[in-house]
Structures are given as C-alpha cells and as structure tokens.
Amino acid sequence: YGIVTAAYWGQTITDGALRMLVLLHFHTLGFTPFQLALFFILYELMGVVTNLWGGWIAARFGLNTTLYAGLGLQITALTLLAALDPAWPVLWSVVYATALQGLAGIAKDLTKMSSKSAIKLIVAKGALFKWVAILTGSKNAMKGLGFFVGGVLLATLGFAPSLLLMAGVLVVVLAATLLSLP
C-alpha cells in the first residue's frame, strides 16, 4: 500500500504542478483565457477515454503495468513540454501543449486507476472503503500541494527547468516502484 500510494502521490503532485506551470507560464506569454482553457480540454477528455479503457488494459496487462505506464507517460509529457519554444507560432504552441496535456491526462488516470485498484488486492474487505477514502482524500491534498509546488518552481527555476526537475523526480519514483513492487 505504501509503495503504490507514494507512486500515486508523486504523480499527483507533479500533475497539479504541471497544471499550474502551464497556466501561469502561458498567461505570462500573453495567451488568452480561451487559449488557456484549450490546454485542458484534451487533458480531461483523455481522462474519460482512459477510464473507459483502463480496466480492460489492467485486466490484460496487470496493475503494475498500468502504474508504470502512467508514471512513464507523465515523465514523457513533462520532458517533451520542456522542449516547447516560446518563439513558436501561437497555434503550434497551443496544439503542442494541448497534446502533451492530453498525454498527462492519460498518465494521471492510469496511475489513479492502478493505485485505487491495487488497494482492493491488499486490504481486508471490511477496511476497503476506509483505505480508498484515505487515498482519494489524499489525492486532493497532493494536487493542492502540487499547485503550490508548480507556482514556487515557476517563480524560482522557470518553466523548462521546473518540468525537467519534476520529470527527474518521477524517474526516481518510477525506479523505486519498479524495484519495490512484486
């Protein structure tokens, strides 16, 4: 439970930080509120698609695989978003950032589905709702912490270095998870 929860928290913090980094960074570049909203449409849509197919994927390939895939996709999204060039045309920047936000949406929901499903395998039936409630409640706290972390990172390191730092932290989380889970 601890290993899975730690992986989930790591992904959730970086997910919240990513949302804040994208929102604040592109706002400072002069993007309109409508353009900023577009960044998050695909994120949410891909979350719906992932939740529809996530159970089948987990049943076919296993919960560990979907957890690792979620962490790996988040690392990929963070790394690729760091390559965004402010000199690109606005349309290309919007399409690029939106596509990567979609990838982050898939990552978030694969990780969330894996974590919540893994609990069912390791806790007694009577305590299941308690542990799922703790994990779900902690998600909101971790996402809020991520918003704060994103703002602090943007203010201190800048956009690309913040994304690369978060990707590096998630590489450590993924490696620890790979080495620790049976």
Side-chain angles (χ1 to χ4, degrees):
Y1 178 82
I3 295 165
V4 171
T5 300
Y8 182 57
W9 284 355
Q11 198 285 330
T12 303
I13 291 169
T14 63
D15 187 60
L18 174 60
R19 286 186 184 200
M20 194 56 59
L21 281 165
V22 167
L23 184 66
L24 295 174
H25 175 71
F26 285 97
H27 173 74
T28 61
L29 293 177
F31 281 62
T32 68
F34 180 74
Q35 290 167 329
L36 293 173
L38 287 175
F39 289 143
F40 300 102
I41 287 176
L42 191 58
Y43 173 89
E44 296 299 339
L45 179 63
M46 294 312 294
V48 171
V49 171
T50 304
N51 280 316
L52 289 172
W53 288 96
W56 178 82
I57 294 168
R60 182 166 174 106
F61 300 105
L63 288 173
N64 284 10
T65 302
T66 54
L67 178 62
Y68 304 148
L71 293 169
L73 288 174
Q74 184 77 349
I75 293 165
T76 301
L78 293 167
T79 304
L80 290 175
L81 195 54
L84 188 135
D85 186 345
W88 290 350
V90 171
L91 179 61
W92 177 239
S93 294
V94 169
V95 169
Y96 187 78
T98 301
L100 292 173
Q101 286 287 79
L103 191 62
I106 294 169
K108 173 197 59 128
D109 283 303
L110 282 175
T111 306
K112 178 177 66 174
M113 183 260 323
S114 302
S115 300
K116 287 184 177 182
S117 297
I119 293 172
K120 294 177 186 176
L121 301 174
I122 56 177
V123 299
K125 290 188 188 244
L128 177 62
F129 290 117
K130 173 187 169 188
W131 287 104
V132 169
I134 290 170
L135 185 65
T136 301
S138 73
K139 176 193 84 124
N140 297 328
M142 293 301 117
K143 183 139 321 207
L145 177 60
F147 292 159
F148 177 76
V149 167
V152 168
L153 287 175
L154 185 61
T156 57
L157 298 179
F159 186 68
S162 297
L163 293 169
L164 293 174
L165 175 64
M166 291 190 311
V169 169
L170 276 184
V171 166
V172 172
V173 169
L174 176 58
T177 305
L178 281 165
L179 294 171
S180 301
L181 282 181

